[in-house]
Amino acid sequence: MTRNIIITGGAGFIGSHLVRLLVNKYPDYHIINVDKLTYAGNLANLSDIENYPNYTFVKADICDYDRMLEVMKMYKVDAVIHLAAESHVDRSITDPFTFARTNVMGTLTLLQAARIYWESLPEKYEGKRFHHVSTDEVYGALELTDPDGVESPFTTAASSEHHHAYGRDFFVETTKYNPHSPYSAAKASSDHFVRAYHDTYGMPVVVTNCSNNYGPYQFPEKFIPLFINNIRLHRPLPVYGRGENVRDWLYVEDHARALDLVFHKGKDADTYNIGGFNEWKNIDIVRLLVRTVDRLLGNPEGYSDSLVTFVTDRAGHDLRYAIDSRKIYRELGWEPSLQFEEGLEKTVRWYLENQQWVDDVTSGDYQKYYESMYSGR
């Protein structure tokens, strides 16, 4: 194997797509998936590659320093792509301590284990890399303003035919951090630790900050899969406030391609923002989901419209996120591959065609299975 790469959180949503991409694309890489298998981790996400010779799964907690150092040494790890994180904002509001432990102390534990192992080698940091995957939420929020004249920089038809911007301001790599939730505060802290390890110890690092992801295998408490499942089951669709909050949406496989590019070609100690120039108000996504799911289920038009229910807004709910991805496009040639409507339809079809996966996850049966499988380890 030419490279031994740890991917943390590889049984999760984005992580599983990245694991699959790298295992298939680089047969001479050994991909070590380190995941604690919390509620958001599911090895069924990787059943298609679980027996590949260049893939290994390790059930472990990234906060366990001795275990992380052991894994580094055991597999002669020369790179880490760190995705493992608590990521649901609502959960962070009710349980901020868990987010601080996993997102801050977990990242620090990984950095220290990698540093101690790599500095023990004759070549030290040569050929090494710690790639930290973060979020646009660390930047805070943007205002809704007149977007007249704002155009996507991408050359493909990937940008939505609808308005792709709700303002002239965008998050760039140098935007000042201003987190507003316990989740984003924990991610911001982890970003700072990664950069501090470069500045203090000379560790080769790179940071990516992405916009909202969507696609197959996303845990069904998240917005898009939750609403797909609720429409299927004819349950209420709880929309925060009036649904005016704006997010920039990125298809998960496009994000995985971007991570692959940045990991291999990104500049050391640099930051790359990954987004789609694809902004949508939440209420507009809900309406598009209702039309799409109803059509694919054969329901009459408007059948599920009455399910939309406006609920009290989330505490500290940021109004707008929007990422400027021109740097990664200009330097590395990355751009999204799908129009949002096309990606959303693919996503809806996947969830409707994989209802057993959805039912297993929402019932918790998948956790019981893996708890029994790994109970003796």
PDB file of all heavy atoms in Angstrom, residues 64-82:
ATOM      1  N   ASP A  64     -10.309   8.749  22.715  1.00  0.00           N
ATOM      2  CA  ASP A  64      -9.457   7.794  23.435  1.00  0.00           C
ATOM      3  C   ASP A  64      -8.030   7.919  22.898  1.00  0.00           C
ATOM      4  O   ASP A  64      -7.676   7.313  21.884  1.00  0.00           O
ATOM      5  CB  ASP A  64     -10.005   6.381  23.225  1.00  0.00           C
ATOM      6  CG  ASP A  64      -9.258   5.326  24.030  1.00  0.00           C
ATOM      7  OD1 ASP A  64      -8.112   5.587  24.442  1.00  0.00           O
ATOM      8  OD2 ASP A  64      -9.818   4.224  24.214  1.00  0.00           O
ATOM      9  N   TYR A  65      -7.200   8.688  23.587  1.00  0.00           N
ATOM     10  CA  TYR A  65      -5.856   8.987  23.085  1.00  0.00           C
ATOM     11  C   TYR A  65      -5.006   7.730  22.899  1.00  0.00           C
ATOM     12  O   TYR A  65      -4.358   7.557  21.858  1.00  0.00           O
ATOM     13  CB  TYR A  65      -5.142   9.962  24.023  1.00  0.00           C
ATOM     14  CG  TYR A  65      -3.703  10.189  23.643  1.00  0.00           C
ATOM     15  CD1 TYR A  65      -3.380  11.013  22.564  1.00  0.00           C
ATOM     16  CD2 TYR A  65      -2.669   9.565  24.333  1.00  0.00           C
ATOM     17  CE1 TYR A  65      -2.062  11.204  22.187  1.00  0.00           C
ATOM     18  CE2 TYR A  65      -1.347   9.746  23.970  1.00  0.00           C
ATOM     19  CZ  TYR A  65      -1.047  10.565  22.889  1.00  0.00           C
ATOM     20  OH  TYR A  65       0.260  10.742  22.520  1.00  0.00           O
ATOM     21  N   ASP A  66      -4.992   6.857  23.895  1.00  0.00           N
ATOM     22  CA  ASP A  66      -4.162   5.650  23.806  1.00  0.00           C
ATOM     23  C   ASP A  66      -4.568   4.799  22.609  1.00  0.00           C
ATOM     24  O   ASP A  66      -3.720   4.250  21.900  1.00  0.00           O
ATOM     25  CB  ASP A  66      -4.267   4.828  25.091  1.00  0.00           C
ATOM     26  CG  ASP A  66      -3.631   5.522  26.282  1.00  0.00           C
ATOM     27  OD1 ASP A  66      -2.753   6.393  26.050  1.00  0.00           O
ATOM     28  OD2 ASP A  66      -3.999   5.207  27.428  1.00  0.00           O
ATOM     29  N   ARG A  67      -5.856   4.695  22.380  1.00  0.00           N
ATOM     30  CA  ARG A  67      -6.353   3.901  21.246  1.00  0.00           C
ATOM     31  C   ARG A  67      -5.982   4.558  19.917  1.00  0.00           C
ATOM     32  O   ARG A  67      -5.585   3.885  18.968  1.00  0.00           O
ATOM     33  CB  ARG A  67      -7.870   3.739  21.359  1.00  0.00           C
ATOM     34  CG  ARG A  67      -8.489   2.895  20.259  1.00  0.00           C
ATOM     35  CD  ARG A  67      -8.161   1.437  20.429  1.00  0.00           C
ATOM     36  NE  ARG A  67      -8.948   0.619  19.515  1.00  0.00           N
ATOM     37  CZ  ARG A  67      -8.405  -0.233  18.637  1.00  0.00           C
ATOM     38  NH1 ARG A  67      -7.099  -0.371  18.566  1.00  0.00           N
ATOM     39  NH2 ARG A  67      -9.191  -0.953  17.867  1.00  0.00           N
ATOM     40  N   MET A  68      -6.100   5.876  19.848  1.00  0.00           N
ATOM     41  CA  MET A  68      -5.760   6.560  18.603  1.00  0.00           C
ATOM     42  C   MET A  68      -4.270   6.423  18.290  1.00  0.00           C
ATOM     43  O   MET A  68      -3.885   6.193  17.140  1.00  0.00           O
ATOM     44  CB  MET A  68      -6.145   8.044  18.687  1.00  0.00           C
ATOM     45  CG  MET A  68      -7.651   8.297  18.672  1.00  0.00           C
ATOM     46  SD  MET A  68      -8.512   7.656  17.201  1.00  0.00           S
ATOM     47  CE  MET A  68      -9.165   6.111  17.861  1.00  0.00           C
ATOM     48  N   LEU A  69      -3.429   6.544  19.297  1.00  0.00           N
ATOM     49  CA  LEU A  69      -1.992   6.373  19.083  1.00  0.00           C
ATOM     50  C   LEU A  69      -1.684   4.938  18.667  1.00  0.00           C
ATOM     51  O   LEU A  69      -0.846   4.697  17.778  1.00  0.00           O
ATOM     52  CB  LEU A  69      -1.225   6.747  20.349  1.00  0.00           C
ATOM     53  CG  LEU A  69       0.297   6.745  20.249  1.00  0.00           C
ATOM     54  CD1 LEU A  69       0.770   7.707  19.161  1.00  0.00           C
ATOM     55  CD2 LEU A  69       0.924   7.112  21.592  1.00  0.00           C
ATOM     56  N   GLU A  70      -2.380   3.978  19.272  1.00  0.00           N
ATOM     57  CA  GLU A  70      -2.207   2.569  18.917  1.00  0.00           C
ATOM     58  C   GLU A  70      -2.574   2.323  17.452  1.00  0.00           C
ATOM     59  O   GLU A  70      -1.856   1.624  16.726  1.00  0.00           O
ATOM     60  CB  GLU A  70      -3.080   1.703  19.833  1.00  0.00           C
ATOM     61  CG  GLU A  70      -3.060   0.223  19.501  1.00  0.00           C
ATOM     62  CD  GLU A  70      -4.082  -0.558  20.314  1.00  0.00           C
ATOM     63  OE1 GLU A  70      -5.188  -0.042  20.571  1.00  0.00           O
ATOM     64  OE2 GLU A  70      -3.766  -1.704  20.681  1.00  0.00           O
ATOM     65  N   VAL A  71      -3.688   2.905  17.015  1.00  0.00           N
ATOM     66  CA  VAL A  71      -4.118   2.732  15.622  1.00  0.00           C
ATOM     67  C   VAL A  71      -3.115   3.376  14.664  1.00  0.00           C
ATOM     68  O   VAL A  71      -2.806   2.823  13.602  1.00  0.00           O
ATOM     69  CB  VAL A  71      -5.533   3.311  15.429  1.00  0.00           C
ATOM     70  CG1 VAL A  71      -5.923   3.332  13.953  1.00  0.00           C
ATOM     71  CG2 VAL A  71      -6.553   2.508  16.225  1.00  0.00           C
ATOM     72  N   MET A  72      -2.618   4.562  15.021  1.00  0.00           N
ATOM     73  CA  MET A  72      -1.610   5.229  14.186  1.00  0.00           C
ATOM     74  C   MET A  72      -0.399   4.312  13.967  1.00  0.00           C
ATOM     75  O   MET A  72       0.090   4.163  12.836  1.00  0.00           O
ATOM     76  CB  MET A  72      -1.144   6.528  14.853  1.00  0.00           C
ATOM     77  CG  MET A  72      -2.213   7.588  15.011  1.00  0.00           C
ATOM     78  SD  MET A  72      -2.443   8.577  13.546  1.00  0.00           S
ATOM     79  CE  MET A  72      -3.758   9.673  14.123  1.00  0.00           C
ATOM     80  N   LYS A  73       0.082   3.727  15.047  1.00  0.00           N
ATOM     81  CA  LYS A  73       1.266   2.868  14.965  1.00  0.00           C
ATOM     82  C   LYS A  73       0.967   1.549  14.262  1.00  0.00           C
ATOM     83  O   LYS A  73       1.746   1.074  13.433  1.00  0.00           O
ATOM     84  CB  LYS A  73       1.805   2.588  16.376  1.00  0.00           C
ATOM     85  CG  LYS A  73       2.338   3.817  17.091  1.00  0.00           C
ATOM     86  CD  LYS A  73       2.763   3.471  18.513  1.00  0.00           C
ATOM     87  CE  LYS A  73       3.329   4.681  19.238  1.00  0.00           C
ATOM     88  NZ  LYS A  73       3.701   4.357  20.652  1.00  0.00           N
ATOM     89  N   MET A  74      -0.185   0.954  14.594  1.00  0.00           N
ATOM     90  CA  MET A  74      -0.538  -0.356  14.053  1.00  0.00           C
ATOM     91  C   MET A  74      -0.610  -0.344  12.530  1.00  0.00           C
ATOM     92  O   MET A  74      -0.148  -1.267  11.856  1.00  0.00           O
ATOM     93  CB  MET A  74      -1.880  -0.815  14.640  1.00  0.00           C
ATOM     94  CG  MET A  74      -2.355  -2.182  14.155  1.00  0.00           C
ATOM     95  SD  MET A  74      -4.024  -2.581  14.776  1.00  0.00           S
ATOM     96  CE  MET A  74      -3.789  -2.406  16.544  1.00  0.00           C
ATOM     97  N   TYR A  75      -1.199   0.719  11.989  1.00  0.00           N
ATOM     98  CA  TYR A  75      -1.413   0.777  10.543  1.00  0.00           C
ATOM     99  C   TYR A  75      -0.427   1.703   9.834  1.00  0.00           C
ATOM    100  O   TYR A  75      -0.579   1.959   8.642  1.00  0.00           O
ATOM    101  CB  TYR A  75      -2.851   1.214  10.250  1.00  0.00           C
ATOM    102  CG  TYR A  75      -3.863   0.202  10.714  1.00  0.00           C
ATOM    103  CD1 TYR A  75      -4.610   0.424  11.874  1.00  0.00           C
ATOM    104  CD2 TYR A  75      -4.074  -0.991  10.014  1.00  0.00           C
ATOM    105  CE1 TYR A  75      -5.538  -0.518  12.316  1.00  0.00           C
ATOM    106  CE2 TYR A  75      -4.997  -1.928  10.447  1.00  0.00           C
ATOM    107  CZ  TYR A  75      -5.725  -1.682  11.598  1.00  0.00           C
ATOM    108  OH  TYR A  75      -6.648  -2.613  12.035  1.00  0.00           O
ATOM    109  N   LYS A  76       0.597   2.176  10.585  1.00  0.00           N
ATOM    110  CA  LYS A  76       1.611   3.060   9.991  1.00  0.00           C
ATOM    111  C   LYS A  76       0.951   4.203   9.204  1.00  0.00           C
ATOM    112  O   LYS A  76       1.236   4.451   8.033  1.00  0.00           O
ATOM    113  CB  LYS A  76       2.569   2.271   9.092  1.00  0.00           C
ATOM    114  CG  LYS A  76       3.369   1.211   9.847  1.00  0.00           C
ATOM    115  CD  LYS A  76       4.320   0.470   8.919  1.00  0.00           C
ATOM    116  CE  LYS A  76       5.272  -0.423   9.681  1.00  0.00           C
ATOM    117  NZ  LYS A  76       4.581  -1.431  10.506  1.00  0.00           N
ATOM    118  N   VAL A  77       0.073   4.890   9.879  1.00  0.00           N
ATOM    119  CA  VAL A  77      -0.774   5.912   9.253  1.00  0.00           C
ATOM    120  C   VAL A  77       0.062   7.124   8.839  1.00  0.00           C
ATOM    121  O   VAL A  77       0.852   7.650   9.625  1.00  0.00           O
ATOM    122  CB  VAL A  77      -1.887   6.347  10.234  1.00  0.00           C
ATOM    123  CG1 VAL A  77      -2.635   7.566   9.704  1.00  0.00           C
ATOM    124  CG2 VAL A  77      -2.843   5.182  10.468  1.00  0.00           C
ATOM    125  N   ASP A  78      -0.085   7.544   7.591  1.00  0.00           N
ATOM    126  CA  ASP A  78       0.623   8.747   7.143  1.00  0.00           C
ATOM    127  C   ASP A  78      -0.316   9.890   6.769  1.00  0.00           C
ATOM    128  O   ASP A  78       0.141  10.931   6.299  1.00  0.00           O
ATOM    129  CB  ASP A  78       1.580   8.433   5.986  1.00  0.00           C
ATOM    130  CG  ASP A  78       0.932   7.711   4.838  1.00  0.00           C
ATOM    131  OD1 ASP A  78      -0.304   7.824   4.692  1.00  0.00           O
ATOM    132  OD2 ASP A  78       1.649   7.035   4.094  1.00  0.00           O
ATOM    133  N   ALA A  79      -1.631   9.693   6.955  1.00  0.00           N
ATOM    134  CA  ALA A  79      -2.572  10.785   6.706  1.00  0.00           C
ATOM    135  C   ALA A  79      -3.864  10.540   7.471  1.00  0.00           C
ATOM    136  O   ALA A  79      -4.261   9.391   7.688  1.00  0.00           O
ATOM    137  CB  ALA A  79      -2.859  10.934   5.217  1.00  0.00           C
ATOM    138  N   VAL A  80      -4.496  11.638   7.852  1.00  0.00           N
ATOM    139  CA  VAL A  80      -5.797  11.582   8.531  1.00  0.00           C
ATOM    140  C   VAL A  80      -6.743  12.534   7.802  1.00  0.00           C
ATOM    141  O   VAL A  80      -6.388  13.687   7.540  1.00  0.00           O
ATOM    142  CB  VAL A  80      -5.692  12.011  10.010  1.00  0.00           C
ATOM    143  CG1 VAL A  80      -7.076  12.031  10.660  1.00  0.00           C
ATOM    144  CG2 VAL A  80      -4.746  11.094  10.778  1.00  0.00           C
ATOM    145  N   ILE A  81      -7.933  12.042   7.447  1.00  0.00           N
ATOM    146  CA  ILE A  81      -9.011  12.913   6.984  1.00  0.00           C
ATOM    147  C   ILE A  81     -10.090  12.835   8.052  1.00  0.00           C
ATOM    148  O   ILE A  81     -10.725  11.794   8.234  1.00  0.00           O
ATOM    149  CB  ILE A  81      -9.550  12.494   5.600  1.00  0.00           C
ATOM    150  CG1 ILE A  81      -8.416  12.362   4.594  1.00  0.00           C
ATOM    151  CG2 ILE A  81     -10.581  13.516   5.114  1.00  0.00           C
ATOM    152  CD1 ILE A  81      -8.860  11.917   3.213  1.00  0.00           C
ATOM    153  N   HIS A  82     -10.268  13.926   8.750  1.00  0.00           N
ATOM    154  CA  HIS A  82     -11.059  13.933   9.993  1.00  0.00           C
ATOM    155  C   HIS A  82     -12.457  14.496   9.752  1.00  0.00           C
ATOM    156  O   HIS A  82     -12.635  15.701   9.600  1.00  0.00           O
ATOM    157  CB  HIS A  82     -10.318  14.737  11.056  1.00  0.00           C
ATOM    158  CG  HIS A  82     -11.053  14.915  12.335  1.00  0.00           C
ATOM    159  ND1 HIS A  82     -11.839  13.930  12.900  1.00  0.00           N
ATOM    160  CD2 HIS A  82     -11.122  15.992  13.184  1.00  0.00           C
ATOM    161  CE1 HIS A  82     -12.368  14.380  14.022  1.00  0.00           C
ATOM    162  NE2 HIS A  82     -11.949  15.621  14.212  1.00  0.00           N
TER     163      HIS A  82
END
